[in-house]
Amino acid sequence: MSTTTPESVWQRLAAHRAELGERHLNELFEADSTRAGRMQAEACGLFLDYSKNRVTDETLRLLLDLAKTSGLAQRRTAMFEGERINTTEQRAVLHTALRRPASEVVMLDGRDVMPDVVAVRERVARFAETVRCGDWRGHDGRPITDIVNIGIGGSDLGPLMVCEALKPFAHPRLRLHFVSNVDGVQIDDVLRSADPGTTLFIVASKTFTTQETLTNAEAAKAWLAAALPAEGMARHFIGVTAAPDKATAFGCGRTFAFRDWVGGRYSLWSAVSLSCVIGLGWEAFQEFLGGAAALDRHFLEAPLERNGPVLMALADIYNVDGLNRPARSVAPYAHALRRLPAFLQQLEMESNGKRVRRDGSPVGRQTCPVVFGEPGSNGQHAFFQQLHQGPQVVPLDFVIVGRTCEDASSTPLWANALAQAQALMQGKTEGQARAELLASGASEAEADRLAPHKTFPGDRPSTAILMEALTPRSLGALIALYEHKTFVEGALWDINSFDQWGVELGKALAKAVLKDAQAGAPSSNLDPSTADLLRRLTA
Ligand code: F6P
């Protein structure tokens, strides 16, 4: 019976880290030119290259040991089979059921959930088609022209990212808008150019209690009420929620439900993406689901050594914890993927931004890195200076699309991505910088003065994810890849990746501050700094 415990493997990893020392990535490639070929994986049309991370075969062997010793395979099966792995909310985690083929069976509490999943899918598809073909008409009989998704967090970031990414599939007559911020400026911007008679609001909220969403939905209701008779409102309000009664009580004429075993940040596979289905069509959305379902099968069936999400997670965990690099930048080299970093921020940081294990004891090590990013090549002209020459090493994900559009070459775009990853890894020594300066005609003194400024430490890790083109299928696979990577990391850190208690304190205090603001004076609950700020804001 193996006595290896995850803790003992973490310790062996730390010892290995010390042994490996500060070996530069260049050295690792010079010592082993075949490493690139070995540190790659394919998953559902996505090509993964993690060889530009400071891992050796021994590091990988230890990380795979950690995965095995941590019971990753059992936890993975537990998730797919509907066990209540979200232990603090006593819920199953079955967002994968939302993309499973209708013929499959997913049991929860002795009941197959797929018939319900398929029924909602069909209702969403049918309804979306009525809006797309103009059958669903506003109160005054005109077809809908504007769809306004009102939602925040998982009820906004996913659908918005998908609609931006798959714009080539957009419906010619329909305009999609996403309103999330409680700052009324955002909804005003949308309503200013919209016509009440042809605008359809989708109020998307798992709980249907979120302040920002209800505030914006009330504003939309008031805007409609100013133009339409009361009996005409319901046609313009659709609810998407796990609390259908609340949506009906709010006045939604039609509601699409999903279940509490779908986490908000995992809900883009559900009716929460109604806006996408209306905008892109059911066929494209089905492809999106299909791409993710294929990645689910890969995650479930591929051996850990060749499992895309597992290998990505192991490289990340080693960067975060093994090498103490608590930040990661995501650079999607496709304008259409510009909302991917924001989506991943919620997915990863709300899932794994935790410091206690499932049993409540401290994790005692780094967990989720700070995730940030901008599309490539924009980021290069913004914060890449820090990534190349700053003292802190920030690993990157380069998400590279071979062909982003039909009528222009994407070569300059992906060439920049490859060059950035190479520059981050290889760097430039002071000697090389000095030689270049001298070769460009600089004097010895000038070269000595400038060379330190033009030196790049290099040894900056990155993982590349390549896809031939951005299609509904490849996008579905990409998002599922990141979801399962996040799952693997949570499993190895032994945390519950599916609750988010950390968001509650601020919400509760916001209610108290709002009450004080409405009273026009700070109550005794506020600390002096907050009280003073409130006094100034209500003066
Ligand atoms: O506050 C965080 C959060 O609960 C996220 O987990 C969720 O995606 C978002 O708010 C919106 O919640 P809801 O869909 O219930 O309005």
Side-chain angles (χ1 to χ4, degrees):
M1 216 306 277
S2 149
T3 56
T4 312
T5 63
E7 204 38 53
S8 67
V9 183
W10 283 113
Q11 281 158 17
R12 282 162 44 211
L13 263 171
H16 166 75
R17 153 112 181 69
E19 260 165 51
L20 204 55
E22 299 304 313
R23 289 187 64 192
H24 197 291
L25 283 166
N26 290 342
E27 274 178 73
L28 296 179
F29 272 93
E30 277 146 27
D32 170 6
S33 59
T34 65
R35 73 180 266 117
R38 283 198 320 287
M39 297 182 182
Q40 299 169 339
E42 294 255 7
C44 312
L46 302 176
F47 177 77
L48 194 67
D49 172 9
Y50 57 94
S51 63
K52 292 193 180 79
N53 286 282
R54 193 194 287 169
V55 291
T56 62
D57 292 340
E58 175 59 10
T59 325
L60 283 170
R61 194 184 61 71
L62 288 167
L63 288 165
L64 286 163
D65 256 6
L66 181 65
K68 291 169 191 150
T69 316
S70 306
L72 174 62
Q74 294 79 355
R75 290 185 68 166
R76 177 181 59 187
T77 307
M79 174 174 69
F80 279 89
E81 294 189 351
E83 276 181 40
R84 294 180 186 281
I85 62 168
N86 176 355
T87 45
T88 60
E89 296 180 298
Q90 278 308 306
R91 290 178 182 160
V93 174
L94 281 175
H95 50 277
T96 54
L98 298 170
R99 57 225 192 190
R100 302 272 284 257
S103 56
E104 296 192 9
V105 172
V106 178
M107 299 303 287
L108 177 63
D109 301 335
R111 212 176 127 265
D112 180 10
V113 301
M114 288 310 290
D116 289 354
V117 167
V118 174
V120 174
R121 269 186 209 162
E122 287 167 358
R123 273 190 71 226
V124 165
R126 270 199 311 278
F127 176 74
E129 198 41 44
T130 63
V131 178
R132 290 170 59 82
C133 69
D135 283 356
W136 184 271
R137 294 175 176 259
H139 173 68
D140 60 16
R142 286 178 292 151
I144 298 295
T145 57
D146 291 82
I147 314 290
V148 183
N149 186 82
I150 298 179
I152 198 164
S155 301
D156 167 74
L157 291 165
L160 172 56
M161 179 266 297
V162 171
C163 287
E164 291 294 343
L166 301 178
K167 250 196 183 133
F169 297 82
H171 189 284
R173 186 193 75 243
L174 297 169
R175 286 183 294 269
L176 296 180
H177 312 271
F178 290 83
V179 172
S180 52
N181 199 324
V182 75
D183 179 347
V185 168
Q186 190 178 34
I187 194 162
D188 288 353
D189 277 354
V190 170
L191 299 184
R192 197 170 298 116
S193 59
D195 173 338
T198 61
T199 300
L200 180 72
F201 293 98
I202 299 174
V203 185
S205 176
K206 178 176 177 181
T207 57
F208 225 84
T209 61
T210 303
Q211 179 208 30
E212 294 90 339
T213 301
L214 296 183
T215 305
N216 284 319
E218 288 296 348
K221 202 190 249 184
W223 178 76
L224 272 182
L228 305 180
E231 69 278 9
M233 303 275 283
R235 285 197 71 70
H236 294 265
F237 270 102
I238 304 295
V240 175
T241 181
D245 302 348
K246 291 197 174 92
T248 310
F250 175 84
C252 294
R254 189 167 285 206
T255 296
F256 296 88
F258 60 102
R259 302 288 300 281
D260 69 3
W261 39 258
V262 179
R265 53 190 175 274
Y266 298 88
S267 64
L268 77 169
W269 317 103
S270 76
V272 159
S273 286
L274 175 61
S275 54
C276 304
V277 182
I278 293 174
L280 309 171
W282 176 247
E283 214 182 302
F285 195 73
Q286 214 167 8
E287 278 292 297
F288 175 64
L289 295 177
L295 208 290
D296 292 340
R297 274 193 304 284
H298 166 85
F299 179 49
L300 268 173
E301 295 160 7
L304 299 187
E305 297 72 21
R306 292 204 308 283
N307 196 305
V310 173
L311 293 166
M312 256 184 99
L314 297 182
D316 275 0
I317 282 179
Y318 192 64
N319 275 324
V320 173
D321 185 76
L323 300 167
N324 192 24
R325 293 158 173 179
R328 197 181 91 251
S329 185
V330 177
Y333 274 69
H335 177 66
L337 285 175
R338 60 191 174 282
R339 296 299 297 167
L340 180 67
F343 171 79
L344 294 177
Q345 278 182 329
Q346 186 196 17
L347 173 67
E348 298 193 42
M349 297 171 75
E350 203 174 75
S351 294
N352 291 341
K354 319 258 165 84
R355 34 180 276 288
V356 297
R357 297 168 189 272
R358 291 178 302 166
D359 67 2
S361 63
V363 176
R365 62 181 68 257
Q366 289 282 1
T367 56
C368 187
V370 172
V371 175
F372 68 99
E374 273 292 304
S377 57
N378 302 50
Q380 291 170 207
H381 306 273
F383 49 81
F384 271 44
Q385 163 61 41
Q386 153 108 10
L387 304 184
H388 281 283
Q389 290 188 318
Q392 192 191 4
V393 175
V394 177
L396 285 97
D397 289 356
F398 286 95
V399 179
I400 303 170
V401 179
R403 201 180 57 253
T404 57
C405 54
E406 299 310 324
D407 49 13
S409 163
S410 310
T411 310
L413 182 64
W414 57 253
N416 268 286
L418 299 194
Q420 288 294 330
Q422 190 188 19
L424 285 161
M425 176 178 82
Q426 290 179 345
K428 183 188 290 185
T429 64
E430 187 163 334
Q432 289 167 329
R434 195 170 179 284
E436 266 179 29
L437 283 159
L438 292 172
S440 67
S443 68
E444 294 277 342
E446 193 59 0
D448 290 348
R449 191 174 68 80
L450 290 176
H453 300 275
K454 295 184 175 240
T455 300
F456 294 72
D459 195 29
R460 310 235 149 165
S462 64
T463 296
I465 305 161
L466 257 65
M467 62 178 81
E468 204 185 305
L470 187 56
T471 63
R473 222 178 157 77
S474 63
L475 181 66
L478 179 73
I479 304 303
L481 173 76
Y482 272 105
E483 285 183 348
H484 293 317
K485 177 191 88 77
T486 304
F487 173 85
V488 173
E489 291 170 0
L492 271 55
W493 286 318
D494 190 23
I495 57 180
N496 177 358
S497 298
F498 300 101
D499 61 13
Q500 56 286 321
W501 300 108
V503 302
E504 297 307 330
L505 179 58
K507 287 183 188 176
L509 293 182
K511 288 199 178 102
V513 171
L514 199 53
K515 221 159 116 252
D516 288 0
Q518 278 146 5
S523 65
S524 55
N525 312 340
L526 299 188
D527 64 274
S529 144
T530 312
D532 193 40
L533 293 169
L534 186 135
R535 252 184 239 104
R536 289 171 183 277
L537 286 160
T538 52

